[in-house]
Amino acid sequence: MKRSERKVAYYSMEIGLEPSIPTYSGGLGVLAGDTIRSFADLKVPVVAVSLISEKGYFYQKLNNVGEQTEEPVYWNPQDLLELLPEKVSVNIEGREVYIQAWQYTVEGVSGSQVPVLFLDTNIPENDQEARTLTTYLYGGDLTYRLAQEIILGIGGFRMLQKLGYTGIKKYHMNEGHSSLLALEMLRQLKEKREHSEKGQDLWDIEEVRTRCVFTTHTPVPAGHDQFSYTIVEKVLGEFIPWEVLKKLGGQEFLNMTLLALNLSRYVNGVARKHGEISRKMFPGYPIDSITNGVHVCNWTSSSFYRLYERYIQGWCNDPFALRYSLAIPREEIWEAHMESKRKMIDFVNQNTNAGMSYHHLTIGFARRSTAYKRVDLIFTDLQRLASISNKVGKIQLVFAGKAHPSDSRGKELIKKVFQHARELKDSIKIAYLENYNIRTAKFLTSGVDLWLNTPKRPMEASGTSGMKVVMNGIPNFSILDGWWLEGHIEGITGWSIGSRGIENQGDQDERDARELYEKLEEVIVPQFYYEREKWIDVMRHSIAVNGSFFNTHRMVYEYTVNAYFL
């Protein structure tokens, strides 16, 4: 496909395509990578734009008590990407900063391709400080962050023009980091109108809105990027008149979410509940919802891939066909699971020396380590947890996840897991895998027996880790928030913790912990050990009900119909 034939530009600060390209920090980037794969599979004419993140997010090191330290990630873009000759520039802090682009091509099952552009300022034309602006993903202070968003939004918009992507009809901003592209579009439209439509309103906001699509991913106000106008003046300058910018982006601060809301015709949250919360957070804005998904082939283990190939023709490009998994014999589901589980247990034991068993109920928890995700909820009552393992059936726990370098509470939570592992060593084997990445995630999301997710309601916008496991027949045991409000059928697709609609009550931790232990003790552990056929039926329904729906093929179809080609 010619560059001029591409119709949609997809912008994301991070994109996770493969472990050897560390241009992602977690769920947002991995979701972007899965989305791009589905674009390619479904022949959607897209080009994607991100940053090169030359030293990644960070490499997590954990010592024997769980103290996290961060190191750079070293990789060579030349080994994996193609350097394009074209360059553009943006003005940052009063000087020109030049940008080049590297291209990675994602190929779909049909042979259709999606080019992914990674913007890079580490070139000789720039001064030393400017050369570091695309070094670290989410690195540095607010000045550094705003500079990165100028490069992604304004620089990314100019790069597509320079490369000849002249047919773009929709610009999709995956989170607010790229919102400045809409300002660049507004500025360019004004320049055109100055020459052709004297006396007209030169700020054609409605035209910009028809071209922009915005997806918001966070349900809490603190998660939205905002910058003081002191920083904006220093870094961006008066890019457009201040009164216009403040009308669009906020009077007190430049709020990137508000900017995107005001300059986008179609806006969505990433789950039904998140759409509802976003409408309350930003009243007056028509915010739709398109629930996230995962790429089925990317997250299906080799054993389940072979099983689906045998029983469900065409499933990889038609995930809705996974509903036929209910007809796959139980023993073959279990054999495929145990093959993946043995690989995962071997991986855990080799990396942690935990001595885990193939035969014990293995519970996985892998999320960013931050307070609201409550990694420590399962450790609320150590005596009761030990009793369940000793008297009802052996359980073992596998954890993974990074804390943001400045999140001291998140770092302390990792140390608490290590501490509880020592306290419970005679009853429960517990492992914490360092430097959680796509490779490690593929072991965990295909090999555990049960996926645990315990965020504080209503702070889970969507959550995609639990979607990954259902592709491999693994049930979820989760707080009713985010996507699980839509995917949960009690005892059929997994089990819930807490009730629907109960949010932020003072005793939430206590109530959730109590229900977690009750269901482990009375339902989940006994069923795993003594009612294997019922357990496998839950596995089959996880695939048939949730795997067939919570995938990026369905999600991309919804974006195409609702947002791109209206």
Side-chain angles (χ1 to χ4, degrees):
M1 182 183 293
K2 295 177 181 177
R3 289 174 176 174
S4 59
E5 294 174 339
R6 302 278 168 182
K7 302 298 181 187
V8 178
Y10 180 82
Y11 287 73
S12 185
M13 180 73 93
E14 53 174 295
I15 295 177
L17 293 166
E18 56 178 87
S20 55
I21 302 178
T23 53
Y24 65 96
S25 70
L28 180 71
V30 174
L31 171 69
D34 280 2
T35 303
I36 291 165
R37 286 187 180 87
S38 287
F39 284 145
D41 289 342
L42 297 173
K43 301 181 181 179
V44 183
V46 173
V47 56
V49 184
S50 188
L51 300 183
I52 193 68
S53 300
E54 199 174 8
K55 292 185 180 176
Y57 181 45
F58 66 85
Y59 188 98
Q60 179 198 49
K61 298 288 286 186
L62 298 172
N63 66 14
N64 60 358
V65 295
E67 290 179 327
Q68 173 182 296
T69 53
E70 301 88 29
E71 297 179 358
V73 181
Y74 293 103
W75 69 294
N76 188 352
Q78 289 179 316
D79 295 338
L80 299 155
L81 312 176
E82 175 193 357
L83 179 61
L84 303 180
E86 293 84 355
K87 294 176 184 176
V88 296
S89 69
V90 293
N91 191 285
I92 297 176
E93 296 192 75
R95 91 289 205 191
E96 288 299 300
V97 173
Y98 293 88
I99 304 166
Q100 65 183 8
W102 300 81
Q103 180 170 308
Y104 181 93
T105 302
V106 175
E107 187 160 327
V109 292
S110 59
S112 176
Q113 296 180 332
V114 171
V116 183
L117 305 178
F118 294 95
L119 306 178
D120 178 15
T121 63
N122 188 11
I123 52 179
E125 291 91 332
N126 290 328
D127 61 47
Q128 193 56 44
E129 182 185 2
R131 294 183 72 161
T132 68
L133 291 176
T134 54
T135 299
Y136 289 101
L137 178 60
Y138 304 130
D141 57 13
L142 286 173
T143 297
Y144 187 89
R145 173 68 73 90
L146 182 55
Q148 287 195 325
E149 298 192 9
I150 292 169
I151 293 162
L152 178 63
I154 300 172
F157 188 85
R158 293 176 182 176
M159 182 61 76
L160 290 188
Q161 292 178 319
K162 181 82 169 183
L163 292 171
Y165 288 96
T166 56
I168 302 296
K169 302 297 183 187
K170 298 290 181 181
Y171 292 82
H172 187 165
M173 298 172 281
N174 188 42
E175 256 307 353
H177 309 119
S178 58
S179 297
L180 293 175
L181 76 84
L183 283 190
E184 172 66 1
M185 191 187 306
L186 187 66
R187 187 191 64 79
Q188 289 191 18
L189 284 171
K190 175 180 178 290
E191 289 183 354
K192 287 181 182 177
R193 297 189 79 173
E194 282 177 333
H195 293 97
S196 60
E197 299 182 38
K198 304 289 186 182
Q200 298 294 318
D201 180 7
L202 300 178
W203 299 105
D204 197 347
I205 291 171
E206 279 307 305
E207 177 61 24
V208 173
R209 292 184 73 246
T210 64
R211 300 185 191 183
C212 289
V213 173
F214 173 51
T215 299
T216 176
H217 287 263
T218 179
V220 292
H224 299 272
D225 277 359
Q226 45 185 3
F227 303 94
S228 73
Y229 280 105
T230 303
I231 290 176
V232 175
E233 185 172 12
K234 172 191 171 190
V235 182
L236 179 63
E238 192 171 1
F239 188 73
I240 64 173
W242 293 115
E243 64 271 17
V244 178
L245 182 60
K246 290 183 177 184
K247 176 184 174 184
L248 297 170
Q251 292 295 323
E252 307 264 327
F253 295 88
L254 175 56
N255 184 308
M256 305 306 273
T257 298
L258 189 59
L259 183 63
L261 286 169
N262 281 319
L263 290 174
S264 299
R265 173 66 54 82
Y266 182 85
V267 179
N268 71 285
V270 290
R272 287 184 180 177
K273 181 67 174 178
H274 179 234
E276 175 189 321
I277 291 168
S278 298
R279 288 189 291 275
K280 290 178 181 176
M281 200 183 313
F282 297 100
Y285 291 93
I287 301 174
D288 196 8
S289 63
I290 294 178
T291 303
N292 282 342
V294 301
H295 189 271
V296 289
C297 284
N298 191 38
W299 292 101
T300 298
S301 69
S302 58
S303 57
F304 271 93
Y305 186 98
R306 295 193 305 271
L307 188 62
Y308 298 151
E309 286 288 291
R310 201 153 61 241
Y311 283 97
I312 309 172
Q313 187 174 4
W315 68 279
C316 200
N317 208 33
D318 178 16
F320 189 61
L322 288 172
R323 66 194 186 280
Y324 297 122
S325 60
L326 291 173
I328 300 175
R330 291 188 184 92
E331 61 273 16
E332 294 193 49
I333 293 279
W334 190 251
E335 286 167 10
H337 171 64
M338 286 306 298
E339 180 182 327
S340 295
K341 184 176 181 180
R342 285 189 290 270
K343 290 178 182 177
M344 189 273 295
I345 294 293
D346 289 345
F347 177 78
V348 171
N349 288 340
Q350 288 163 10
N351 283 276
T352 67
N353 199 31
M356 291 197 168
S357 166
Y358 296 145
H359 306 294
H360 293 169
L361 173 62
T362 304
I363 301 173
F365 184 108
R367 311 298 306 278
R368 178 166 55 90
S369 182
T370 194
Y372 85 84
K373 293 185 185 285
R374 297 192 297 180
V375 65
D376 57 339
L377 187 70
I378 195 170
F379 298 117
T380 301
D381 186 338
L382 298 185
Q383 187 175 351
R384 184 166 185 188
L385 186 60
S387 175
I388 294 169
S389 185
N390 290 332
K391 295 179 181 177
V392 184
K394 280 292 181 184
I395 61 176
Q396 50 197 17
L397 303 171
V398 183
F399 294 90
K402 299 176 179 180
H404 187 278
S406 62
D407 186 355
S408 58
R409 176 72 178 121
K411 290 182 177 182
E412 284 301 314
L413 286 170
I414 297 173
K415 290 169 65 177
K416 281 184 71 174
V417 174
F418 275 70
Q419 176 189 330
H420 296 321
R422 293 190 295 272
E423 293 166 341
L424 291 166
K425 62 182 172 59
D426 295 329
S427 302
I428 301 173
K429 291 171 181 172
I430 300 173
Y432 201 111
L433 294 162
E434 75 176 8
N435 198 46
Y436 191 48
N437 59 19
I438 290 173
R439 179 171 178 264
T440 303
K442 288 190 174 183
F443 279 106
L444 293 192
T445 58
S446 65
V448 298
D449 297 304
L450 182 72
W451 195 254
L452 180 66
N453 188 28
T454 52
K456 189 177 285 285
R457 290 178 300 275
M459 299 179 75
E460 183 87 311
S462 177
T464 53
S465 64
M467 299 176 187
K468 296 175 177 71
V469 303
V470 303
M471 302 305 166
N472 301 296
I474 297 167
N476 277 266
F477 183 32
S478 178
I479 294 291
L480 282 167
D481 199 12
W483 82 278
W484 190 231
L485 281 164
E486 301 167 45
H488 163 259
I489 307 172
E490 185 69 12
I492 304 297
T493 59
W495 299 272
S496 67
I497 303 168
S499 303
R500 293 174 184 265
I502 297 178
E503 299 168 2
N504 285 333
Q505 295 190 2
D507 61 345
Q508 187 181 142
D509 289 352
E510 182 184 327
R511 288 184 294 104
D512 289 345
R514 184 167 59 248
E515 185 167 339
L516 186 156
Y517 292 134
E518 287 172 356
K519 286 193 178 176
L520 273 181
E521 185 171 18
E522 298 169 12
V523 180
I524 294 171
V525 178
Q527 189 174 120
F528 178 82
Y529 282 107
Y530 308 115
E531 298 179 275
R532 184 58 50 80
E533 284 195 358
K534 282 184 69 175
W535 184 273
I536 297 171
D537 283 344
V538 176
M539 295 177 69
R540 291 198 294 191
H541 280 90
S542 291
I543 302 164
V545 176
N546 287 338
S548 67
F549 183 81
F550 294 100
N551 56 74
T552 46
H553 275 42
R554 182 269 314 156
M555 188 192 83
V556 162
Y557 175 80
E558 289 191 45
Y559 277 116
T560 301
V561 171
N562 296 329
Y564 296 162
F565 304 125
L566 295 174

